Amino acid sequence: MTKTTKLLTGIMLVASLTLTACGAKNNNNGGAASPSPSPVASPVETETASPSDKVDGKGFKFGMVTDVGGVNDKSFNQSAWEGLNKLKDETGAEVKYQESKEATNYLTNLNKFVRDGYNLTWGIGFLLGDAVKDAADKNPNAHLAIIDSVVEAPNVASITFAENEGSFLVGVVAGLMTKTNKIGFVGGIDIPVIKRFELGFVAGVAAVNPDAKVEINYTGAFDKADLGKAAAASIYNAGADIVFHAAGGTGNGVFNEAKERNKSAAADKKVWVIGVDKDQSLEFGDDVTLTSMLKRVDEAVYRVSKEMIEGNFPAGQITTLGLKDNAVGLPETSTKNVPQDVLDKVEEYKQKIISGEITVPTAQ
């Protein structure tokens, strides 16, 4: 397999990539209408395409298969769907999703798009890796792409992110803003991509506040808000005032727990949540969302799909997107709750990571 050696200099600023976890209700056959994507704050500016930049995608069909978190997970599945909706709005391409209720649905859903002649079929999430590999091997003329996993096949584009880098930065925020020196991390399933979130976060906290302790709790699911709520309750009960989640739909329960606590809490006992993938303050509010670790799944899905229309699909290639690509980081809304001196410190560490002065751990 060919591995991309040159990363993007700005995922929103490059017209063609080397590459280069929305919200619509299911219909009876598991597909969906294509609503306009909800607004998502971004650490980079979005360019407006000129008429000459417009790409005609009419006649192209793009399918997306979610993991068990579903398209309304308020996280990476939803972000991916927003990317396809942007593609539809700008090019006229047809887009559709299939929700996976359980792991056994992955291959079935992927194969449905392949059989129906879709130009590109997306698998969203690490858990779809084996199914994407199976579909790709058995359908060598089909084109597939996957988020958060590497599938070694000549007809698959693999897109991963340096979640550890962005998580380091929100760890800096948590380490500098905790009042109790007790912080929490709620993960979904203990898989490499979520481990990167955890390790980066813990490293960021330690870099600025070695006295702070981070309690780790993996729920074992991406679609169980009740488990997220219980995990957050346990961590908050132990004295934590900030919890970062990387748990997809399970993380919605973390927000629910924090909101309930803050209803009756004194101002100095308020608890916070650090969101993931999207700017989750747009969904859960500034009163409980300290900041979020943005992961631009939407832009990666949009750009690679657009490349398919342009005839430049990066088949068989791997890309990892991080801070230097503006693919992870904090949303602009962070200024609402994070003081400027803390944001200045975040920027300082960001530049150190980009320059290579700091290497953020990816594995234990």
Side-chain angles (χ1 to χ4, degrees):
M1 169 174 298
T2 302
K3 181 169 183 178
T4 303
T5 58
K6 184 177 181 181
L7 296 180
L8 313 178
T9 58
I11 198 170
M12 298 290 287
L13 304 179
V14 180
S16 177
L17 303 184
T18 303
L19 206 110
T20 46
C22 140
K25 294 183 179 180
N26 281 343
N27 58 25
N28 292 333
N29 66 5
S34 304
S36 297
S38 56
V40 180
S42 170
V44 291
E45 294 182 1
T46 301
E47 292 181 336
T48 301
S50 66
S52 61
D53 294 330
K54 295 294 185 181
V55 175
D56 185 1
K58 292 179 180 178
F60 283 82
K61 298 192 296 183
F62 295 85
M64 180 189 111
V65 176
T66 76
D67 76 353
V68 294
V71 77
N72 288 315
D73 64 351
K74 314 285 192 273
S75 189
F76 65 98
N77 283 300
Q78 183 170 327
S79 182
W81 182 233
E82 289 172 352
L84 282 186
N85 273 284
K86 177 181 177 183
L87 183 80
K88 170 184 174 290
D89 292 343
E90 293 191 3
T91 72
E94 178 182 339
V95 300
K96 189 175 183 179
Y97 69 80
Q98 294 283 342
E99 279 194 321
S100 302
K101 300 301 183 184
E102 53 189 4
T104 56
N105 297 152
Y106 296 156
L107 184 57
T108 300
N109 288 340
L110 290 167
N111 281 334
K112 184 179 190 318
F113 286 126
V114 170
R115 287 194 310 269
D116 290 346
Y118 275 62
N119 298 88
L120 178 60
T121 300
W122 283 91
I124 307 301
F126 177 88
L127 298 177
L128 277 81
D130 289 342
V132 169
K133 174 65 171 171
D134 193 336
D137 287 347
K138 292 178 179 177
N139 300 277
N141 294 323
H143 292 97
L144 298 98
I146 188 165
I147 293 288
D148 285 347
S149 186
V150 173
V151 172
E152 296 191 3
N155 53 340
V156 177
S158 301
I159 298 91
T160 63
F161 293 80
E163 296 91 355
N164 55 318
E165 294 181 353
S167 297
F168 186 102
L169 299 186
V170 295
V172 169
V173 172
L176 292 176
M177 294 191 66
T178 179
K179 296 178 180 179
T180 65
N181 274 348
K182 294 181 180 180
I183 298 165
F185 173 83
V186 174
I189 300 174
D190 192 350
I191 54 179
V193 60
I194 305 303
K195 205 68 180 177
R196 290 196 293 271
F197 279 104
E198 175 202 328
L199 296 177
F201 181 64
V202 172
V205 171
V208 296
N209 187 352
D211 294 328
K213 305 299 181 184
V214 181
E215 181 176 343
I216 311 299
N217 191 321
Y218 278 87
T219 64
F222 290 118
D223 60 341
K224 305 293 183 186
D226 57 331
L227 296 182
K229 190 174 189 302
S234 175
I235 294 172
Y236 287 133
N237 285 342
D241 54 352
I242 301 171
V243 172
F244 174 39
H245 90 86
T250 297
N252 296 347
V254 177
F255 280 98
N256 294 339
E257 178 64 25
K259 280 182 169 290
E260 288 184 9
R261 287 175 178 260
N262 286 345
K263 286 180 181 178
S264 58
D268 61 344
K269 299 296 183 182
K270 184 175 183 177
V271 298
W272 293 99
V273 181
I274 296 177
V276 75
D277 294 333
K278 293 164 56 65
D279 178 0
Q280 294 199 295
S281 70
L282 301 178
E283 177 71 27
F284 296 100
D286 299 318
D287 59 326
V288 70
T289 311
L290 182 59
T291 185
S292 297
M293 204 297 277
L294 287 186
K295 177 176 166 180
R296 299 310 307 274
V297 174
D298 56 338
E299 278 303 316
V301 168
Y302 166 78
R303 290 288 178 172
V304 174
S305 299
K306 185 178 178 184
E307 286 197 342
M308 168 60 72
I309 297 172
E310 295 170 332
N312 299 314
F313 179 67
Q317 297 184 20
I318 306 167
T319 298
T320 298
L321 303 172
L323 284 177
K324 66 174 61 176
D325 313 300
N326 284 323
V328 296
L330 276 62
E332 295 173 355
T333 54
S334 297
T335 56
K336 295 180 180 179
N337 289 319
V338 182
Q340 187 58 50
D341 62 326
V342 175
L343 292 175
D344 290 343
K345 186 62 68 172
V346 167
E347 181 63 24
E348 176 185 328
Y349 276 99
K350 175 182 176 180
Q351 295 307 320
K352 288 181 178 180
I353 293 170
I354 291 174
S355 70
E357 181 178 343
I358 292 178
T359 300
V360 184
T362 60
Q364 291 178 316

